Amino acid sequence: MIVRDRLNPTARDLPKSGIRKFFDLANTMEGVISLGVGEPDFDTPWHIRAEAIYAIEKGYTFYTGNMGLIELREAICDYQRRRFGLEFDASQVLMTSGASEGIDLVFRAILEPGDEVILVSPTYVAYSPLVTLAGGVPVFLDAKEETGFKVTKEMLEEAITDKTKMLFLNYPGNPTGGVMTKEDYAELVPLIKEHELFVVYDEIYAELTYEGKHCSIASFDEIKDQVILMSGFSKAYAMTGWRMGYLIAHPDVIHAFLMIHQYAQMCPSTISQYAALEAAKNGDDDIEMMAKQFMMRRNFIVNGLNRIGLKCHMPKGAFYVFPSIAATGMTSEQFCEELLKDQKVAVVPGNAFGSAGEGYVRISYAYSIDEIKEALARMEAFLRNKGYLK
Ligand SMILES: Cc1ncc(COP(=O)(O)O)c(C=O)c1O
């Protein structure tokens, strides 16, 4: 048997993540300093880890209900009310194994073959392949640095066709750090309502909003049945390895998610759910401490990049900067490969996030100031060696 020929071609032929491709190369080299990974360098706060240990000691090692622990779903409703002023019922909350499971579920439960999903490019790497896998068609809106990588009414209007079923938003955004305000969303809401679109709102970086307060598109009552809120514990609480995320939506939508989740996942890790319960109830101070640190690092790296000649806007959220490398005349892949070879610094080529990311690189500042300082010094040396800095 020719094994390759017997596989589902859609899955087999999905592109390898542009991030992974690059880091496979970096992993073969010694002494590399990497600002590539989107994961907080902080340890999960101790009181959260302690709750997981108690959960094991108490023998909470069985499956939970498919929706997840009721006390956790209630704690998430309290959290959404306390932090963002949003009202939900626990019956609208489905616990998932990371936001990642949520991304897969929304496409599989909602899309029919040929349905179009509007994605904002540069875009987080998982969305487009998972749309394709679910039989949908990704349609990209190219967001621009000049407008803060936001979606405008005009852009959305142009992209909507009679096949559009979903608009997928991620603010604060990976990889750009872009943020949208209440006024920005207000412009989109009438179109979303008129065309009966589902809006999936990935707000995993909501707590990492550095200017003003985070605003969720779920705060618009007129489209509340159409919004699917997606979030998780990975970024705000430094809990990437715990794999805890959640979806909040209209009960009928949650029911469709549950029909897949009950067979494909059953429930996320019970022990992680107890840790998340502690985080949702008592983690506000931790979030704020880490967000302060990230903001300080953001200011440091943006100033540093502009000083060494890489033009970099000030992102308003998340923990990524997205400087332009246009001045070097290189493609983003060339830039990253040369930088890695010349100075052993690993950053991610902007084109890994779609064609609108060409001409940029993504640098994560979820690293210590010492690592950022060292990386900046090496990048400066690289630009000098190449003759881009006098
Ligand atoms: C925008 C965005 N959404 C979702 C995820 C996945 O998060 P999780 O760890 O909860 O699966 C990430 C992780 O990098 C992300 O950047």
Short mmCIF file of all heavy atoms in Angstrom, two decimals, residues 175-214:
data_model
loop_
_atom_site.label_atom_id
_atom_site.label_comp_id
_atom_site.label_asym_id
_atom_site.label_seq_id
_atom_site.Cartn_x
_atom_site.Cartn_y
_atom_site.Cartn_z
N PRO A 175 -0.37 38.29 15.31
CA PRO A 175 0.95 38.73 15.77
C PRO A 175 1.14 40.24 15.92
O PRO A 175 2.24 40.66 16.26
CB PRO A 175 1.84 38.28 14.61
CG PRO A 175 0.99 38.54 13.40
CD PRO A 175 -0.42 38.21 13.83
N THR A 176 0.11 41.04 15.71
CA THR A 176 0.38 42.49 15.56
C THR A 176 0.28 43.28 16.86
O THR A 176 0.77 44.40 16.93
CB THR A 176 -0.62 43.13 14.56
OG1 THR A 176 -1.94 43.04 15.14
CG2 THR A 176 -0.60 42.43 13.22
N GLY A 177 -0.41 42.73 17.88
CA GLY A 177 -0.65 43.50 19.09
C GLY A 177 -1.73 44.55 18.90
O GLY A 177 -1.95 45.40 19.77
N GLY A 178 -2.44 44.49 17.77
CA GLY A 178 -3.51 45.46 17.49
C GLY A 178 -4.68 45.30 18.45
O GLY A 178 -4.93 44.22 18.97
N VAL A 179 -5.37 46.42 18.68
CA VAL A 179 -6.51 46.45 19.60
C VAL A 179 -7.64 47.20 18.91
O VAL A 179 -7.39 48.11 18.13
CB VAL A 179 -6.09 47.17 20.92
CG1 VAL A 179 -7.27 47.69 21.69
CG2 VAL A 179 -5.25 46.24 21.80
N MET A 180 -8.89 46.80 19.13
CA MET A 180 -10.03 47.58 18.61
C MET A 180 -10.81 48.17 19.79
O MET A 180 -10.91 47.56 20.85
CB MET A 180 -10.96 46.69 17.75
CG MET A 180 -10.27 46.12 16.54
SD MET A 180 -10.98 46.39 14.89
CE MET A 180 -12.71 46.33 15.03
N THR A 181 -11.40 49.34 19.57
CA THR A 181 -12.15 50.01 20.63
C THR A 181 -13.65 49.79 20.42
O THR A 181 -14.09 49.30 19.38
CB THR A 181 -11.91 51.53 20.59
OG1 THR A 181 -12.40 52.00 19.32
CG2 THR A 181 -10.43 51.87 20.72
N LYS A 182 -14.42 50.24 21.40
CA LYS A 182 -15.88 50.11 21.31
C LYS A 182 -16.39 50.82 20.05
O LYS A 182 -17.26 50.31 19.33
CB LYS A 182 -16.51 50.73 22.57
CG LYS A 182 -17.98 50.55 22.64
CD LYS A 182 -18.48 50.38 24.06
CE LYS A 182 -19.93 49.95 23.97
NZ LYS A 182 -20.35 48.90 24.78
N GLU A 183 -15.82 51.99 19.76
CA GLU A 183 -16.26 52.76 18.58
C GLU A 183 -15.93 51.99 17.30
O GLU A 183 -16.71 51.98 16.35
CB GLU A 183 -15.57 54.13 18.53
CG GLU A 183 -15.95 55.10 19.64
CD GLU A 183 -15.40 54.70 21.02
OE1 GLU A 183 -14.25 54.22 21.08
OE2 GLU A 183 -16.15 54.85 22.01
N ASP A 184 -14.77 51.34 17.28
CA ASP A 184 -14.40 50.55 16.09
C ASP A 184 -15.41 49.42 15.87
O ASP A 184 -15.84 49.16 14.75
CB ASP A 184 -13.00 49.93 16.25
CG ASP A 184 -11.90 50.97 16.38
OD1 ASP A 184 -12.03 52.02 15.74
OD2 ASP A 184 -10.94 50.72 17.12
N TYR A 185 -15.77 48.72 16.95
CA TYR A 185 -16.72 47.62 16.81
C TYR A 185 -18.10 48.13 16.41
O TYR A 185 -18.81 47.49 15.63
CB TYR A 185 -16.84 46.82 18.11
CG TYR A 185 -15.60 46.02 18.43
CD1 TYR A 185 -14.97 46.14 19.68
CD2 TYR A 185 -15.06 45.14 17.50
CE1 TYR A 185 -13.83 45.41 19.96
CE2 TYR A 185 -13.91 44.42 17.78
CZ TYR A 185 -13.30 44.55 19.02
OH TYR A 185 -12.18 43.84 19.29
N ALA A 186 -18.48 49.29 16.96
CA ALA A 186 -19.81 49.84 16.68
C ALA A 186 -20.02 49.99 15.18
O ALA A 186 -21.14 49.82 14.67
CB ALA A 186 -19.99 51.17 17.40
N GLU A 187 -18.95 50.28 14.46
CA GLU A 187 -19.05 50.43 12.99
C GLU A 187 -19.38 49.11 12.31
O GLU A 187 -20.00 49.08 11.26
CB GLU A 187 -17.69 50.88 12.44
CG GLU A 187 -17.41 52.32 12.61
CD GLU A 187 -16.42 52.77 11.52
OE1 GLU A 187 -16.06 51.95 10.66
OE2 GLU A 187 -16.07 53.94 11.55
N LEU A 188 -18.91 48.01 12.89
CA LEU A 188 -19.07 46.71 12.24
C LEU A 188 -20.41 46.05 12.57
O LEU A 188 -20.92 45.23 11.79
CB LEU A 188 -17.96 45.74 12.66
CG LEU A 188 -16.51 46.23 12.56
CD1 LEU A 188 -15.55 45.10 12.95
CD2 LEU A 188 -16.17 46.70 11.15
N VAL A 189 -20.97 46.41 13.73
CA VAL A 189 -22.13 45.70 14.25
C VAL A 189 -23.33 45.68 13.29
O VAL A 189 -23.91 44.61 13.06
CB VAL A 189 -22.49 46.24 15.66
CG1 VAL A 189 -23.87 45.78 16.10
CG2 VAL A 189 -21.44 45.77 16.67
N PRO A 190 -23.71 46.81 12.67
CA PRO A 190 -24.86 46.76 11.76
C PRO A 190 -24.67 45.76 10.61
O PRO A 190 -25.61 45.05 10.23
CB PRO A 190 -24.98 48.19 11.24
CG PRO A 190 -24.26 49.04 12.23
CD PRO A 190 -23.19 48.18 12.82
N LEU A 191 -23.45 45.68 10.08
CA LEU A 191 -23.18 44.73 8.98
C LEU A 191 -23.29 43.28 9.46
O LEU A 191 -23.83 42.41 8.77
CB LEU A 191 -21.76 44.95 8.45
CG LEU A 191 -21.54 46.05 7.44
CD1 LEU A 191 -20.05 46.17 7.13
CD2 LEU A 191 -22.31 45.74 6.15
N ILE A 192 -22.78 43.05 10.65
CA ILE A 192 -22.80 41.69 11.23
C ILE A 192 -24.25 41.26 11.43
O ILE A 192 -24.64 40.12 11.14
CB ILE A 192 -22.03 41.68 12.57
CG1 ILE A 192 -20.54 41.89 12.31
CG2 ILE A 192 -22.28 40.40 13.35
CD1 ILE A 192 -19.72 42.23 13.53
N LYS A 193 -25.06 42.22 11.88
CA LYS A 193 -26.47 41.92 12.14
C LYS A 193 -27.20 41.69 10.81
O LYS A 193 -27.89 40.69 10.62
CB LYS A 193 -27.10 43.08 12.92
CG LYS A 193 -28.46 42.75 13.47
CD LYS A 193 -28.93 43.84 14.43
CE LYS A 193 -30.40 43.68 14.76
NZ LYS A 193 -30.71 42.40 15.38
N GLU A 194 -27.01 42.62 9.89
CA GLU A 194 -27.72 42.54 8.60
C GLU A 194 -27.42 41.22 7.88
O GLU A 194 -28.32 40.59 7.32
CB GLU A 194 -27.30 43.74 7.74
CG GLU A 194 -27.93 43.75 6.37
CD GLU A 194 -27.26 44.78 5.44
OE1 GLU A 194 -26.63 45.74 5.95
OE2 GLU A 194 -27.36 44.58 4.20
N HIS A 195 -26.16 40.79 7.90
CA HIS A 195 -25.79 39.59 7.13
C HIS A 195 -25.84 38.31 7.97
O HIS A 195 -25.42 37.25 7.50
CB HIS A 195 -24.39 39.78 6.52
CG HIS A 195 -24.36 40.84 5.47
ND1 HIS A 195 -24.71 40.61 4.16
CD2 HIS A 195 -24.08 42.17 5.56
CE1 HIS A 195 -24.61 41.74 3.48
NE2 HIS A 195 -24.24 42.71 4.30
N GLU A 196 -26.35 38.44 9.19
CA GLU A 196 -26.53 37.29 10.10
C GLU A 196 -25.25 36.46 10.20
O GLU A 196 -25.27 35.22 10.08
CB GLU A 196 -27.71 36.42 9.64
CG GLU A 196 -29.00 37.22 9.59
CD GLU A 196 -30.23 36.36 9.35
OE1 GLU A 196 -30.09 35.21 8.88
OE2 GLU A 196 -31.33 36.84 9.67
N LEU A 197 -24.15 37.15 10.43
CA LEU A 197 -22.86 36.46 10.56
C LEU A 197 -22.64 36.01 12.00
O LEU A 197 -23.03 36.71 12.94
CB LEU A 197 -21.71 37.40 10.19
CG LEU A 197 -21.75 38.09 8.84
CD1 LEU A 197 -20.48 38.93 8.64
CD2 LEU A 197 -21.88 37.07 7.72
N PHE A 198 -22.00 34.87 12.15
CA PHE A 198 -21.44 34.55 13.46
C PHE A 198 -20.14 35.33 13.59
O PHE A 198 -19.38 35.46 12.61
CB PHE A 198 -21.12 33.06 13.58
CG PHE A 198 -22.35 32.21 13.78
CD1 PHE A 198 -22.82 31.37 12.78
CD2 PHE A 198 -23.02 32.24 15.00
CE1 PHE A 198 -23.94 30.58 12.98
CE2 PHE A 198 -24.14 31.45 15.21
CZ PHE A 198 -24.61 30.63 14.19
N VAL A 199 -19.90 35.84 14.81
CA VAL A 199 -18.62 36.49 15.05
C VAL A 199 -17.90 35.68 16.11
O VAL A 199 -18.40 35.54 17.23
CB VAL A 199 -18.76 37.92 15.63
CG1 VAL A 199 -17.40 38.59 15.70
CG2 VAL A 199 -19.72 38.72 14.82
N VAL A 200 -16.77 35.12 15.75
CA VAL A 200 -15.97 34.44 16.76
C VAL A 200 -14.94 35.44 17.23
O VAL A 200 -14.24 36.06 16.43
CB VAL A 200 -15.27 33.18 16.19
CG1 VAL A 200 -14.51 32.47 17.30
CG2 VAL A 200 -16.29 32.26 15.57
N TYR A 201 -14.90 35.61 18.54
CA TYR A 201 -14.03 36.64 19.10
C TYR A 201 -13.00 35.99 20.03
O TYR A 201 -13.31 35.61 21.15
CB TYR A 201 -14.90 37.65 19.87
CG TYR A 201 -14.13 38.88 20.27
CD1 TYR A 201 -13.63 39.74 19.30
CD2 TYR A 201 -13.90 39.18 21.60
CE1 TYR A 201 -12.91 40.86 19.65
CE2 TYR A 201 -13.18 40.31 21.96
CZ TYR A 201 -12.69 41.13 20.98
OH TYR A 201 -11.97 42.25 21.33
N ASP A 202 -11.81 35.80 19.50
CA ASP A 202 -10.72 35.19 20.27
C ASP A 202 -10.08 36.29 21.11
O ASP A 202 -9.32 37.11 20.60
CB ASP A 202 -9.72 34.56 19.29
CG ASP A 202 -8.53 33.91 19.99
OD1 ASP A 202 -8.34 34.14 21.20
OD2 ASP A 202 -7.78 33.18 19.32
N GLU A 203 -10.41 36.27 22.40
CA GLU A 203 -9.88 37.34 23.27
C GLU A 203 -8.93 36.76 24.31
O GLU A 203 -8.92 37.17 25.46
CB GLU A 203 -11.01 38.15 23.90
CG GLU A 203 -11.98 37.38 24.74
CD GLU A 203 -12.83 38.29 25.64
OE1 GLU A 203 -13.11 39.43 25.28
OE2 GLU A 203 -13.21 37.81 26.72
N ILE A 204 -8.09 35.84 23.85
CA ILE A 204 -7.16 35.19 24.78
C ILE A 204 -6.15 36.19 25.37
O ILE A 204 -5.59 35.94 26.43
CB ILE A 204 -6.48 33.98 24.10
CG1 ILE A 204 -5.83 33.10 25.16
CG2 ILE A 204 -5.50 34.38 23.03
CD1 ILE A 204 -5.79 31.66 24.82
N TYR A 205 -5.94 37.32 24.66
CA TYR A 205 -5.01 38.33 25.19
C TYR A 205 -5.74 39.51 25.85
O TYR A 205 -5.14 40.57 26.06
CB TYR A 205 -4.11 38.86 24.06
CG TYR A 205 -3.20 37.80 23.48
CD1 TYR A 205 -3.51 37.17 22.27
CD2 TYR A 205 -2.05 37.40 24.14
CE1 TYR A 205 -2.70 36.18 21.75
CE2 TYR A 205 -1.22 36.42 23.63
CZ TYR A 205 -1.54 35.81 22.44
OH TYR A 205 -0.72 34.83 21.92
N ALA A 206 -7.04 39.34 26.16
CA ALA A 206 -7.82 40.46 26.69
C ALA A 206 -7.16 41.14 27.89
O ALA A 206 -7.16 42.37 28.01
CB ALA A 206 -9.22 39.98 27.09
N GLU A 207 -6.58 40.34 28.77
CA GLU A 207 -6.00 40.92 29.99
C GLU A 207 -4.68 41.64 29.72
O GLU A 207 -4.17 42.32 30.58
CB GLU A 207 -5.78 39.82 31.04
CG GLU A 207 -7.07 39.23 31.59
CD GLU A 207 -7.80 40.19 32.52
OE1 GLU A 207 -7.33 41.34 32.72
OE2 GLU A 207 -8.86 39.78 33.04
N LEU A 208 -4.15 41.44 28.52
CA LEU A 208 -2.90 42.12 28.17
C LEU A 208 -3.22 43.27 27.23
O LEU A 208 -2.85 43.30 26.07
CB LEU A 208 -1.90 41.12 27.55
CG LEU A 208 -1.61 39.91 28.45
CD1 LEU A 208 -0.70 38.92 27.76
CD2 LEU A 208 -1.00 40.34 29.77
N THR A 209 -4.02 44.20 27.75
CA THR A 209 -4.39 45.42 27.03
C THR A 209 -3.75 46.57 27.79
O THR A 209 -4.01 46.73 28.98
CB THR A 209 -5.93 45.59 27.01
OG1 THR A 209 -6.50 44.44 26.40
CG2 THR A 209 -6.36 46.83 26.25
N TYR A 210 -2.87 47.32 27.12
CA TYR A 210 -2.05 48.26 27.87
C TYR A 210 -2.56 49.70 27.85
O TYR A 210 -2.12 50.52 28.64
CB TYR A 210 -0.60 48.22 27.33
CG TYR A 210 -0.06 46.82 27.33
CD1 TYR A 210 0.29 46.17 26.16
CD2 TYR A 210 0.04 46.10 28.53
CE1 TYR A 210 0.76 44.87 26.16
CE2 TYR A 210 0.50 44.80 28.54
CZ TYR A 210 0.86 44.19 27.36
OH TYR A 210 1.30 42.90 27.37
N GLU A 211 -3.44 49.99 26.91
CA GLU A 211 -3.95 51.37 26.86
C GLU A 211 -5.46 51.32 26.82
O GLU A 211 -6.04 50.68 25.96
CB GLU A 211 -3.39 52.10 25.63
CG GLU A 211 -1.95 52.52 25.88
CD GLU A 211 -1.15 52.65 24.61
OE1 GLU A 211 -1.64 53.26 23.66
OE2 GLU A 211 -0.02 52.12 24.58
N GLY A 212 -6.09 51.96 27.79
CA GLY A 212 -7.54 51.90 27.89
C GLY A 212 -7.97 50.54 28.40
O GLY A 212 -7.14 49.71 28.79
N LYS A 213 -9.28 50.28 28.35
CA LYS A 213 -9.80 49.01 28.86
C LYS A 213 -10.16 48.11 27.70
O LYS A 213 -10.59 48.60 26.65
CB LYS A 213 -11.05 49.29 29.70
CG LYS A 213 -10.80 49.08 31.18
CD LYS A 213 -12.08 48.95 31.97
CE LYS A 213 -12.30 47.70 32.76
NZ LYS A 213 -11.26 46.81 33.14
N HIS A 214 -10.00 46.82 27.88
CA HIS A 214 -10.39 45.88 26.83
C HIS A 214 -11.90 45.99 26.59
O HIS A 214 -12.69 46.05 27.53
CB HIS A 214 -10.05 44.46 27.28
CG HIS A 214 -10.62 43.41 26.39
ND1 HIS A 214 -10.13 43.17 25.13
CD2 HIS A 214 -11.66 42.55 26.56
CE1 HIS A 214 -10.84 42.20 24.56
NE2 HIS A 214 -11.76 41.81 25.42
#
